Amino acid sequence: MILLSIDIGSTYTKGAMFRLNGEKLEYLDRAVCPTTIADLKIGFDWIKKKLDPKKTAEQIFFTSSAKGGLAISAIGVVPDLTLMAAKSAALSAGGKVVSVHAYKLTGEHLAELLKKKPDIILLAGGTDGGNESYLLHNAELLCHLPSMVNCDKLPTIVFAGNVALKDVICHRLSEAGFDVHPAPNLLPKIDQMEPEGAREKIRNVFLRTIVFGKGLDAIQNEIGSEPMPTPLAVLLLVEAIHNELPDFGDFMLLDMGGATTDVYSAGGKLDAEARVIMRGLAEPIIKRTVEGDLGMRVSASTAVDSIGDTLSEIMDENQRSSFSAFIGKLESVPEYLPIDPEEIHFDRCLASACIHHAMQRHAGTWRRVFTAEGEAFVQQGKDLRQISKIVGSGGFLSAMSDFVPIVIENNRPSEIISLNPRNYTYLRDYNYILPLLGAVASSYPKQAARCAIENLLLVEQGGTPNSL
């Protein structure tokens, strides 16, 4: 059986052909073209014709992150609990969290929401039967948002808070003009996180939002299936590798694109060590974070604003003006690929800084404290120090055969210790097919997982194919 998988990204549209024969999935060919923003079907059709001119594919998968992922604002009560659950649901659904708000909303928070222009507001807070006052206050304040917006486009609201308030809050927000979708409580009990219901609602909003007016509706009608958010497809592949091929071990996947840098981790140390005090909810075995301000093309100028201090540590001061001109070029022509040696160096500096910050944000930390029993550490987040493999994917990481991501030494205060991987093997998705295999993993998880591993190269061994 011939399978075709096509991904419509923010900068490029990619496709790959595979042959499925029982338990074996074989990679055949790949094609890429610039994403056709005005009508995404044009690029989709070009890839389809290029790879499958005789229309031999029996099954077609397609994914999309043409907007760089849906922008989501998360509103909760306690930052370490509800907001962590909200971010987990948003990120695993393929969105990017552009702002988070805790406790009671204020006028300043509404102003920030207007500035961030989220596609979705994820309204959470309170365990089932627990706190009600914060949720009621926040819902009432959100009702003022429509009068502050100068256009017809309002964010969709996904309500995933205290179930006792579901009917009254959804009704009130609907009256105010919002499209509201109730979901199960993200945090029904104080120590129980259940993001699946909210994740499904967010995915449904994704399908309606990204399809409308972008040509994906025509693609959907043609092939008879809905697009999957690209980050969700990659998450499915990470889960498939972890579940179906346990001998591969714990790993981290870096997917760096033009709009975002996504980090996935499978495994890691989940229990506390001696003298370590855990804080917050338990981290999931499979975790994803997305950094909407860290991208190589569409978000390049935003990335420079976020990581300027790190760039200054790895770039000569006399190169600043040339670097600024390079970033301006990327803004105007996102599909630009540097040829000049200086610009190639700038691209590598940008990639290094984006990866450094994305990994630091993904991994947990230890904060040194002193108790009556002596020195101890407060851990927040996931301990990834023992992860032995990092996989690089995305346009830049797939293309660069001599680039190995590292965590850049910086001036982080000594009482804060990052729990990032220490010693690892770096593997490269040299054909840039992992996102395409992610869609296939939704139907053929074991075959897609094995095909993914077979198509990784060990950078340290000069491109020797990896095997289990």
Side-chain angles (χ1 to χ4, degrees), residues 39 41 44 62 211 214-224:
D39 185 350
K41 193 174 187 297
F44 179 93
F62 85 107
V211 167
K214 288 186 172 291
L216 292 189
D217 51 348
I219 300 173
Q220 180 176 316
N221 292 334
E222 178 182 316
I223 70 173

Side-chain angles (χ1 to χ4, degrees), residues 425-437:
T425 300
Y426 178 62
L427 306 161
R428 182 168 62 95
D429 171 24
Y430 68 103
N431 283 319
Y432 192 8
I433 59 172
L434 294 194
L436 299 164
L437 280 169

Side-chain angles (χ1 to χ4, degrees), residues 125 177 216 310 340 345 363 375 390 393 408:
L216 292 189
T310 302
D340 178 83
H345 171 67
E375 185 184 53
I390 293 182
S393 185
I408 302 166

Side-chain angles (χ1 to χ4, degrees), residues 322-459:
S322 298
F323 179 72
S324 296
F326 172 67
I327 295 300
K329 185 182 295 185
L330 299 184
E331 279 189 304
S332 59
V333 188
E335 65 271 18
Y336 177 72
L337 297 176
I339 300 175
D340 178 83
E342 184 179 52
E343 290 190 339
I344 292 174
H345 171 67
F346 291 157
D347 227 18
R348 295 172 76 96
C349 289
L350 179 61
S352 296
C354 284
I355 289 170
H356 166 75
H357 283 268
M359 290 178 65
Q360 294 285 44
R361 296 175 190 179
H362 181 88
T365 59
W366 278 355
R367 178 170 56 86
R368 185 178 282 108
V369 296
F370 294 92
T371 69
E373 287 76 27
E375 185 184 53
F377 299 92
V378 175
Q379 178 175 329
Q380 189 161 17
K382 200 173 184 181
D383 186 351
L384 302 175
R385 291 173 300 162
Q386 302 307 314
I387 278 186
S388 60
K389 297 183 181 73
I390 293 182
V391 177
S393 185
F396 179 88
L397 293 180
S398 293
M400 294 294 103
S401 60
D402 60 345
F403 182 89
V404 177
I406 59 172
V407 178
I408 302 166
E409 293 294 332
N410 61 10
N411 297 320
R412 178 184 291 271
S414 59
E415 68 271 13
I416 302 295
I417 301 171
S418 172
L419 301 180
N420 260 305
R422 294 291 191 263
N423 299 299
Y424 51 83
T425 300
Y426 178 62
L427 306 161
R428 182 168 62 95
D429 171 24
Y430 68 103
N431 283 319
Y432 192 8
I433 59 172
L434 294 194
L436 299 164
L437 280 169
V440 178
S442 64
S443 297
Y444 309 102
K446 188 169 185 177
Q447 295 92 329
R450 186 166 292 280
C451 183
I453 300 307
E454 290 172 350
N455 282 277
L456 298 178
L457 294 184
L458 294 170
V459 173

Side-chain angles (χ1 to χ4, degrees), residues 7-14 33-47 66 213-216 219 335:
D7 173 60
I8 303 172
S10 58
T11 308
Y12 289 98
T13 296
K14 293 83 63 181
C33 71
T35 293
T36 50
I37 300 297
D39 185 350
L40 299 177
K41 193 174 187 297
I42 295 174
F44 179 93
D45 288 344
W46 188 91
I47 294 292
K214 288 186 172 291
L216 292 189
I219 300 173
E335 65 271 18

